[in-house]
């Protein structure tokens, strides 16, 4: 009996120390311990040699050992190390491959890229500026001195540590940065993110995207402005697009105009997006104010220019019929994965 117990202990240790390794060794294990001539069977055969008063105790120990050996076998079988599929020569090459989901570009990126591409064909290059701006580039240089009422058109986030710093409220700040470095001719567009202290809703967000445009050279006229922007919307929305210019006011342009296009959502029949007018405003524009040119030492008698600024979300809304601004920043893949195929 002593000897048998000792042997069972050794078998247990042997089993515990086995590291599963493939289907063949699993089968060898089964035959050795659990087979019809295996160790477990043999031990049960020893039962007849055990004295009667010890039979019950020995039987229990033996059953426990049997269970231990069987559990090991089952675990091993379940694990990939024992499964037949993991062995190299048993891989089923006829199974279909795993489909890896492909990412898609964000609609804002798509539209920004398209804007950059269209203006690129007209000779505009991309300029960038910082999102944390100073008062000068965002306001003062753009003919918006302190206490100018037009500053209230845009609710500004200021940086606590330094009241001269703010999150840019428009990409017009990049105009100022370009004008202080470059001499005419200048032909740039400036796509980027802007920030305003607005309550988030379907129609407003505290951050969104704009593209600024600036063209300064000799003999640039309002006709150039109109033709450039007309070309742009035709490329973006199709040849059938109609435009109208309305007089407006911006401190950095004179004269100023806002441009509308006929509503791409309802085709003019009237809807929420065009507020039942059939027209949607897509950008502000105008001839660069002479005072702005002079701010940067550019001779306003020799040079003229036009500028414009448009919201990318708005263009995106009209192109892809997106009716809630919050969708752009919620990262919902059901929304994002619809924008496939485009670059
Ligand atoms: N900065 C203006 C805005 O955020 C848009 C704008 C209007 C930009 C007229 C311009 C412009 O360059 O000429 O509402």
């Amino acid at each position: 009996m002593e000897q048998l117990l000792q042997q069972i202990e050794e078998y247990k240790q042997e089993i515990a120390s086995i590291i599963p390794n493939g289907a063949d060794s699993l089968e060898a294990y089964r035959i050795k311990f659990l087979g019809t001539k295996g160790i477990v069977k043999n031990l049960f055969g020893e039962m007849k040699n055990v004295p009667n008063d010890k039979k019950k105790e020995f039987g229990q120990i033996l059953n426990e050992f049997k269970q231990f050996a069987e559990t090991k076998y089952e675990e091993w079988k379940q694990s990939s190390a024992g499964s037949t599929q993991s062995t190299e020569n048993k891989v089923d090459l006829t199974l279909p491959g795993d489909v890896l989901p492909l990412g898609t570009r964000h609609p804002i990126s798509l539209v920004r890229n398209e804007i950059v591409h269209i203006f690129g064909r007209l000779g505009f290059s991309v300029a960038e500026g910082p999102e944390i701006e100073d008062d000068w580039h965002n306001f003062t240089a753009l003919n918006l001195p302190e206490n100018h009422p037009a500053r209230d058109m845009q609710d500004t986030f200021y940086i606590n540590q330094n009241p001269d710093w703010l999150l840019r409220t428009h990409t017009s700040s990049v105009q100022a940065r370009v004008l202080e470095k470059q001499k005419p001719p200048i032909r740039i567009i400036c796509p980027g993110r802007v920030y305003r202290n607005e309550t988030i809703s379907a129609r407003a967000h505290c951050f969104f995207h704009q593209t600024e445009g600036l063209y300064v050279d000799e003999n640039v006229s309002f006709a150039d402005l109109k033709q450039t922007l007309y070309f742009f919307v035709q490329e973006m929305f199709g040849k059938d697009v109609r435009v109208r210019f309305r007089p407006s006011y911006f401190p950095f342009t004179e004269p100023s105009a806002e441009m509308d296009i006929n509503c791409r959502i309802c085709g003019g029949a009237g809807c929420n997006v065009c507020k039942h007018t059939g027209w949607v405003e897509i950008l502000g524009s105008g001839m660069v104010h002479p005072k702005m040119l002079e701010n940067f030492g550019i001779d306003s008698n020799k040079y003229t220019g036009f500028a414009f600024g448009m919201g990318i979300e708005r263009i995106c809304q009209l192109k892809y019929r997106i009716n809630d601004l919050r969708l752009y920043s919620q990262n919902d893949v059901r929304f994002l994965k619809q924008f496939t195929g485009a670059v």
Side-chain angles (χ1 to χ4, degrees):
M1 171 89 176
E2 279 295 301
Q3 218 181 338
L4 283 172
L5 292 181
Q6 165 100 30
Q7 214 165 28
I8 290 174
E9 229 12 78
E10 278 166 20
Y11 285 141
K12 267 185 162 171
Q13 275 169 20
E14 184 185 336
I15 292 173
S17 68
I18 289 175
I19 297 162
N21 175 27
D24 292 346
S25 53
L26 173 69
E27 182 59 6
Y29 169 83
R30 191 191 64 76
I31 293 168
K32 179 173 176 187
F33 284 94
L34 305 168
T36 40
K37 289 180 185 154
I39 287 166
V40 171
K41 206 55 172 225
N42 284 344
L43 285 170
F44 273 103
E46 296 288 346
M47 196 66 139
K48 57 180 187 299
N49 303 326
V50 173
N52 275 345
D53 61 333
K54 299 268 183 196
K55 271 196 168 45
K56 193 175 165 202
E57 191 193 338
F58 184 68
Q60 255 172 12
I61 291 172
L62 214 48
N63 271 322
E64 270 169 33
F65 174 65
K66 184 182 171 207
Q67 233 168 29
F68 178 73
E70 280 173 353
T71 311
K72 176 82 183 179
Y73 178 71
E74 287 306 322
E75 279 174 7
W76 191 347
K77 205 159 86 174
Q78 305 284 315
S79 79
S80 60
S83 92
T84 43
Q85 289 206 355
S86 77
T87 51
E88 227 176 295
N89 51 2
K90 287 186 184 150
V91 170
D92 183 353
L93 295 173
T94 65
L95 287 173
D98 289 339
V99 179
L100 295 177
L102 261 192
T104 55
R105 276 199 208 284
H106 194 280
I108 295 294
S109 300
L110 289 177
V111 169
R112 185 206 43 216
N113 291 352
E114 199 171 341
I115 294 171
V116 167
H117 182 70
I118 295 170
F119 280 102
R121 285 158 55 205
L122 295 175
F124 285 75
S125 51
V126 172
E128 284 178 340
E131 292 180 17
I132 299 176
E133 250 314 351
D134 51 39
D135 185 279
W136 165 256
H137 292 97
N138 196 79
F139 290 129
T140 309
L142 303 173
N143 211 15
L144 269 152
E146 218 180 316
N147 301 324
H148 193 291
R151 283 196 179 202
D152 296 340
M153 285 159 70
Q154 303 168 356
D155 276 324
T156 309
F157 284 119
Y158 287 91
I159 308 280
N160 274 344
Q161 284 81 349
N162 183 342
D164 191 46
W165 288 347
L166 46 86
L167 297 181
R168 67 179 179 195
T169 57
H170 52 185
T171 45
S172 303
S173 57
V174 188
Q175 276 194 43
R177 294 212 164 253
V178 170
L179 285 170
E180 74 188 357
K181 278 207 215 80
Q182 293 181 29
K183 293 284 155 241
I186 294 169
R187 223 182 300 175
I188 48 140
I189 56 163
C190 331
R193 185 174 278 187
V194 301
Y195 302 82
R196 290 185 198 175
N197 192 356
E198 305 252 8
T199 309
I200 296 170
S201 72
R203 296 176 150 266
H205 210 291
C206 58
F207 64 81
F208 54 98
H209 301 78
Q210 289 188 330
T211 300
E212 197 75 11
L214 176 69
Y215 183 14
V216 181
D217 202 349
E218 291 178 40
N219 299 319
V220 177
S221 72
F222 202 89
D224 295 320
L225 179 159
K226 286 176 83 173
Q227 193 52 42
T228 302
L229 294 176
Y230 185 41
F231 173 81
F232 165 70
V233 288
Q234 281 188 319
E235 292 300 300
M236 181 58 89
F237 293 106
K239 293 284 178 212
D240 64 324
V241 70
R242 289 166 55 217
V243 300
R244 77 179 184 186
F245 286 85
R246 285 178 291 102
S248 184
Y249 171 75
F250 299 101
F252 29 92
T253 44
E254 179 59 35
S256 304
E258 282 170 301
M259 189 173 98
D260 300 342
I261 60 172
N262 60 329
C263 185
R264 316 310 293 167
I265 308 280
C266 65
C271 68
N272 282 344
V273 173
C274 64
K275 301 197 189 86
H276 299 276
T277 64
W279 295 95
V280 186
E281 183 224 314
I282 62 159
L283 57 84
S285 64
M287 300 306 291
V288 179
H289 200 295
K291 205 165 154 204
M292 230 189 99
L293 295 176
E294 298 296 338
N295 274 347
F296 295 99
I298 295 170
D299 183 353
S300 61
N301 291 316
K302 185 172 177 201
Y303 293 105
T304 50
F306 69 76
F308 58 88
M310 71 179 97
I312 297 183
E313 277 81 354
R314 171 56 62 83
I315 307 285
C316 213
Q317 173 187 42
L318 295 171
K319 203 170 165 80
Y320 295 113
R321 298 171 179 240
I322 296 162
N323 58 7
D324 190 327
L325 274 176
R326 290 168 293 196
L327 285 166
Y328 292 120
S329 48
Q330 279 166 340
N331 277 344
D332 186 333
V333 281
R334 291 168 304 179
F335 171 72
L336 296 173
K337 75 181 180 189
Q338 296 177 55
F339 301 90
T340 48
V343 286

